[in-house]
Amino acid sequence: MNESETIFDIIKKRRSVRHFNRAKLPDEHMQQILEAGRWAPSGANAQPWRFVVVTQRETLAALAECCYYKMFKSRHVGEAGAVVVICADPGAGSQTYQIDAAIAGTNMTLMATALGIGSCWIGAFEEQTIRNILRVPEKLKIIALIAFGYEVGKASVPPRLPLSSIVHNEIYDTAGEPGIITKKKYSGALSVFGKLMRVLFNKR
């Protein structure tokens, strides 16, 4: 992390990286990333998260086969230096265990960004297949996977809806809803379509 960087700089610099160079990540950096997840807040301090760290190339390739977004295979899972599979225990004592696990994952992606490591959330996957591959107990819910690694190329800056479209003061003002063109341009599948096409045709 650059000493002049603020937490807001890191938040804005984080990207969903979909092309990694397969290099191994330093153990001390992975430890820092996992520590960032460990220090996340959780309901009733239940800390319901459990992390499975995968670095073996064969296992990463197996995970990549059961992760996808619509028609697109998440091939970057197989290219990552490491994948953290975030699980959560519904019986840990927090009604918000899925949110807690997501906050822990966000902490990890921000720490990775500060360390010069790219990351990408994977939310579409075959849960039972991953459970079988990694021997995850049935009592745990698999929330998401996060791929970590060194980026090849440069991920584009994702569009964002303007604050005026998403912030309501005191009451919800439906007159402030973004129009269909604004929503299509700045959010949703169309806003990342170009990136997905470059991945599909290896033009990354």
Side-chain angles (χ1 to χ4, degrees):
M1 176 179 174
N2 187 313
E3 290 185 4
S4 64
E5 280 186 325
T6 67
I7 186 65
F8 191 42
D9 292 328
I10 293 169
I11 289 170
K12 291 197 296 182
K13 191 165 72 172
R14 187 216 60 81
R15 298 283 179 271
S16 294
V17 175
R18 292 182 173 86
H19 190 18
F20 300 109
N21 67 4
R22 297 177 179 264
K24 184 180 185 299
L25 302 180
D27 291 340
E28 60 270 24
H29 285 178
M30 278 307 303
Q31 195 68 20
Q32 286 178 271
I33 290 169
L34 294 166
E35 274 289 310
R38 187 171 77 96
W39 279 97
S42 59
N45 195 34
Q47 303 168 70
W49 44 69
R50 302 292 183 268
F51 309 135
V52 182
V53 182
V54 180
T55 59
Q56 291 187 358
R57 222 11 89 194
E58 309 80 37
T59 310
L60 291 171
L63 293 180
E65 285 300 309
C66 52
C67 296
Y68 45 79
Y69 177 73
K70 297 187 183 298
M71 71 185 81
F72 300 99
K73 286 276 188 180
S74 299
R75 292 183 295 179
H76 49 298
V77 172
E79 298 174 346
V83 167
V84 175
V85 180
I86 302 178
C87 306
D89 183 357
S94 170
Q95 293 183 331
T96 57
Y97 67 93
Q98 295 186 71
I99 297 172
D100 301 338
I103 295 170
T106 298
N107 275 15
M108 287 193 274
T109 62
L110 293 177
M111 176 57 77
T113 301
L115 294 169
I117 295 169
S119 63
C120 189
W121 281 87
I122 310 295
F125 50 84
E126 298 169 7
E127 181 174 3
Q128 192 57 51
T129 304
I130 292 176
R131 186 181 302 280
N132 294 340
I133 292 171
L134 303 180
R135 301 180 186 177
V136 176
E138 289 292 337
K139 72 172 185 175
L140 299 181
K141 173 73 175 173
I142 300 176
I143 305 299
L145 292 74
I146 305 180
F148 293 98
Y150 295 112
E151 181 178 10
V152 173
K154 187 71 174 176
S156 58
V157 178
R160 285 289 184 265
L161 289 166
L163 279 178
S164 59
S165 296
I166 61 174
V167 176
H168 301 263
N169 293 312
E170 309 300 342
I171 61 171
Y172 197 103
D173 181 10
T174 55
E177 280 291 308
I180 185 66
I181 294 176
T182 299
K183 284 194 286 189
K184 292 295 184 183
K185 181 178 180 181
Y186 291 102
S187 66
L190 283 180
S191 71
V192 295
F193 183 73
K195 181 182 291 188
L196 292 173
M197 292 302 292
R198 286 194 297 275
V199 171
L200 181 65
F201 294 106
N202 292 314
K203 294 180 180 179
R204 311 178 190 180

